[in-house]
Structure formats: structure tokens, C-alpha cells
Amino acid sequence: MEIDDLAPSRRSLLKCMAFGGAGTLFVLSGGVPVAIDLASAATAKAVKPLFLQISDTHIGFNKEANPDVAGTLKQTIALVNAMPGKPRFMLHTGDITHLSKPEEFDLAQQLLSTLAIGELHTTPGEHDVTDGPGTEYFARFGKASKGKGYYSFDQDGVHFIALVNVMSFKPGGLGALGTQQLEWLEEDLKGRSSSTPIVVFAHMPLWTIYAPWGWGTGDADQAFFYLKRFGSVTVLNGHIHQIVQKVEGHMTFHTARSTAYPQPTAGTGPGPGPLKVPSEELPKRLGISSVTVTRHPRAAQIADTTLA
Amino acid sequence: MRLRIFSSALFVSLVLSGLAFGQDPSTVTIENFDFTPMALSVKPGSSVTWTNKDGEPHTVVSEAGLFRSKALDQGDSFTFKFDKPGTYKFLCSIHPQMMGVITVR
């Protein structure tokens, strides 16, 4: 991407850069999250991540928590395009738009097309499908899955699985995968070697972080039952606009930051709405995750990079 | 005298607020991730209007599939007319922990 493509946001880009290298990077190693700052990360051996994860871009949001979500997405894209070791593809774990409007999808797709990474795999968030099944999101991103939304692919010996847990909500409940998708998952994993590293990505957390706010997936245990024989499983989600992670046996769970606005920590305040933070703090609450999967030992390393 | 003016003003405002309350029984406010009231009774043929006051969008979706709003941004409203008696449960499809019920009788 040419920097000139950023002309409308050049001011915000420069503003972003002016915040300097105050970012934080988390490395998940052997189950212990270690925070290091970007300055020391820059001097460490540069590793090309296998892929990057972007989430919750919420194009169309314009309230006080971030009146310019297109601007912060452009900053994020500039950050990615400036990375020395660019991976082949990116995952977007949903809430591409705020209100599922065609014009929001148009702008999001136009901005995401400026990524210097050619391949983008997506899974929908509940904000992308408020118009119901088979509409805007699926018309634009449903081809890979023949309109179902869930699909799998292989890259560099790693098996990637996109799941959809925002289409069949039960009242008062958590996200759900549904019987049809779980049957598909069982079939998809059948016959695969247990030594194949697996990366599962979906919008809402696949493990229960906070049930009163719906931060979990009611029938995910069945999915984990199919996944438990694999030696390395990485589960990536968005939805909660903040990092929460845990390691359980061979499974690593991680939620990514939003590029739009932060949300309160579980149970703080009336609900999981946009959190207004001082404008100078905002770039530190937004960012992306990059994931490196090593074969020996089999492990996924997840690093989170903020806009500032 | 001044006291009397004050008390009559108070009386007028009480009557007005009572009127406002009585005029508009078929409104559900969406605020702080809650439907208020959570349960509402209306007569057959009544229209119910939901208005979102949160900065976060919400939807109003009938559990039985009878009605479904688009995503309501802050200040947006959705209205549905209930013709037949019955119990109509609804929820927000973005935050399904938000639930309510309209009873038509």
C-alpha cells in the first residue's frame, strides 16, 4: 500500500505515531503470559508470524468512545503494512461493521483492501448479522463456506477452522454453534492426525468468561470434545474488546483487542458497551494479535500489538 | 401568596406527569442493557414502540419469529402492532441476556 492512500487519515496516522513506542506486547510462552514493551521487542530476533488477527473494527460506530473508527482502522492497517515480516494472511474475528449496513460493509471492505496482506479470512460477529441469516455478511463473505459461515483450510501444516457462534442465540443464553455446525466440525476433524496444530477462530469467546453478559458459547464443550485429542489447539476470539487468555492442557485461549473501542472488564457497569477512555489512552487499548506456531515444541505464540 | 403559586405549579406538574404517563403506556425503553418495562400488557390492536437510549445498538426480536427490528442505534425506534391476544416474548439478538414480554389481552 502506498502511504498516499492514507491521505485522509494522514493527520491521525501522524498523531498515532506521535504517541511513540509506548505499546505493550504479550508473549504467551509455556502458559505464562509475559509482557514486554515494543522497544525491547524490536531488538529481539524478528520472527515472521504465521498470521495476524484483527477484530471488532465496528465500522459505522460514531459515539464518544471513538468518533473515528475508520481512522483507527487505517492506523491499524498502517501498523500492519509497516511490519517487517508480513504473514501471508489475516483473520478477522467479526464485528466488521457496527449495524450490518451495506454502506458500513462497503467502507470496511474498501479499507481492508488496503492491507499489504493479500488474504483475509473472516467469521461474523453478532453486529454483522443483525439483518438475519443469508443477508449482507453472507452475500459478501459467505462464498468460502457456501453461505454457512463456517469453513476450514490448511496453511503451512496448520489446520484452521472458522466457527460461527452468533447465529443461534438462546434467550438469556450464551452464543451457540448449533447441532449442524458441530456435526460438520466432527466430520472435518475426522481422520486428521492428532499432531496437526489446530487454530480455531470465532467471534464470541468459546469458553465462558462472563455468562451474565453472554461472554461464552453454550455448546462449545462438544467442540472441545472433538478437539481434545490434538496436541496443539489455539482458540482465538474477539467480541469483548480486551485481552483475556488462559491455557488449559494443550489448548490456548485468547481474545483480541478491538481496533474501534475498548469495553469494560467483566461485570463492571451496566453492560458490555463502549468504554470511554481519555483520548490519549485510546490507542493503547486498540490493536491486533500476531500468532507464530512453532513445530518443535508444538506451541502457538501470540503477541498483541497496540496502536500506541 | 408566593407559596400558593409554588404549590399550584407543583400540582400542575404532577397532573401533567400523570397525564404523560397515562398517555403513553405502549412504550418500552431500552437503556443500560435492559428493557423497561420488562413486561407490558396492551389491548389487541395496540402498537408498541421500543426506543434505544444506549450508545450500544440493540435489536427487538420476537422469540416466535413474529417480528424483528433492524439494529437500533442510539435514538432509533421500532414499532409493532399486536392484533391478536397472546404472550409475545422478545429479546435483543445482540445481547440475548436482554429479554422482555408483551401480553396482549
Side-chain angles (χ1 to χ4, degrees):
Chain A
M1 187 189 64
E2 297 295 321
I3 199 80
D4 283 344
D5 292 349
L6 284 168
S9 72
R10 193 169 230 174
R11 189 180 296 164
S12 54
L13 175 72
L14 292 172
K15 200 170 120 194
C16 162
M17 289 165 76
F19 287 112
T24 307
L25 187 130
F26 291 90
V27 177
L28 193 72
S29 184
V32 185
V34 186
I36 52 174
D37 64 58
L38 277 182
S40 50
T43 58
K45 193 174 63 155
V47 179
K48 182 175 157 183
L50 180 60
F51 65 93
L52 299 177
Q53 181 194 4
I54 188 172
S55 200
D56 295 86
T57 45
H58 282 265
I59 293 301
F61 179 83
N62 55 11
K63 303 296 186 295
E64 60 169 359
N66 182 358
D68 185 17
V69 294
T72 47
L73 175 55
K74 285 176 191 166
Q75 289 173 21
T76 308
I77 291 169
L79 185 83
V80 170
N81 289 349
M83 282 181 169
K86 276 186 269 301
R88 194 179 300 176
F89 66 97
M90 272 181 96
L91 307 180
H92 193 312
T93 44
D95 283 358
I96 298 165
T97 67
H98 196 55
L99 301 165
S100 327
K101 290 181 181 172
E103 60 269 30
E104 295 175 348
F105 277 111
D106 284 345
L107 178 57
Q109 287 183 290
Q110 183 203 325
L111 293 173
L112 291 168
S113 73
T114 65
L115 275 166
I117 297 171
E119 213 175 305
L120 181 72
H121 298 275
T122 66
T123 185
E126 72 287 353
H127 284 253
D128 297 320
V129 295
T130 56
D131 51 359
T135 43
E136 279 304 320
Y137 174 84
F138 295 91
R140 292 161 189 263
F141 299 100
K143 282 200 189 96
S145 65
K146 297 188 178 72
K148 294 192 300 285
Y150 48 88
Y151 56 96
S152 67
F153 61 96
D154 293 281
Q155 185 72 55
D156 295 335
V158 179
H159 187 60
F160 290 82
I161 303 168
L163 296 180
V164 179
N165 54 3
V166 298
M167 294 305 291
S168 53
F169 284 122
K170 301 287 181 293
L174 307 163
L177 296 163
T179 314
Q180 216 178 349
Q181 185 172 195
L182 285 165
E183 282 170 3
W184 170 84
L185 177 66
E186 184 182 20
E187 199 57 39
D188 182 75
L189 293 171
K190 211 173 261 177
R192 274 177 213 286
S193 156
S194 297
S195 62
T196 310
I198 306 277
V199 174
V200 179
F201 61 106
H203 177 66
M204 291 175 69
L206 282 161
W207 81 108
T208 302
I209 295 175
Y210 190 60
W213 285 2
W215 287 1
T217 303
D219 54 3
D221 279 353
Q222 190 61 36
F224 296 140
F225 176 76
Y226 301 139
L227 288 161
K228 69 179 180 187
R229 71 179 169 91
F230 290 89
S232 163
V233 179
T234 305
V235 179
L236 302 175
N237 305 114
H239 187 60
I240 65 169
H241 297 216
Q242 61 196 290
I243 291 168
V244 172
Q245 54 190 6
K246 75 163 181 174
V247 176
E248 211 173 271
H250 296 147
M251 291 196 191
T252 302
F253 299 81
H254 186 91
T255 60
R257 288 189 178 94
S258 163
T259 69
Y261 53 85
Q263 285 192 351
T265 53
T268 309
L275 179 69
K276 170 75 180 142
V277 296
S279 53
E280 67 274 16
E281 200 192 316
L282 183 63
K284 297 175 194 169
R285 301 285 204 106
L286 309 177
I288 51 160
S289 304
S290 57
V291 180
T292 312
V293 177
T294 57
R295 305 301 298 254
H296 302 288
R298 258 194 321 265
Q301 265 139 22
I302 304 165
D304 294 296
T305 311
T306 57
L307 289 186
Chain B
M1 187 63 178
R2 193 179 285 171
L3 189 66
R4 195 187 297 166
I5 291 167
F6 173 76
S7 56
S8 56
L10 185 70
F11 175 74
V12 168
S13 71
L14 279 174
V15 168
L16 280 177
S17 61
L19 276 176
F21 184 76
Q23 270 170 354
D24 204 8
S26 305
T27 297
V28 177
T29 300
I30 311 173
E31 196 167 19
N32 289 331
F33 295 80
D34 263 326
F35 292 108
T36 308
M38 282 176 73
L40 180 67
S41 288
V42 298
K43 292 197 161 51
S46 302
S47 292
V48 175
T49 299
W50 288 261
T51 302
N52 179 25
K53 295 193 171 176
D54 276 346
E56 173 76 2
H58 297 293
T59 63
V60 180
V61 178
S62 152
E63 266 186 41
L66 188 66
F67 51 87
R68 181 189 188 102
S69 78
K70 64 179 179 61
L72 304 175
D73 205 357
Q74 195 166 30
D76 287 351
S77 291
F78 169 72
T79 301
F80 186 79
K81 189 165 177 254
F82 292 88
D83 289 323
K84 291 181 187 158
T87 303
Y88 302 91
K89 291 184 179 173
F90 61 91
L91 60 104
C92 166
S93 68
I94 305 177
H95 313 94
Q97 70 273 22
M98 297 168 56
M99 293 174 287
V101 62
I102 306 291
T103 306
V104 182
R105 61 185 170 212

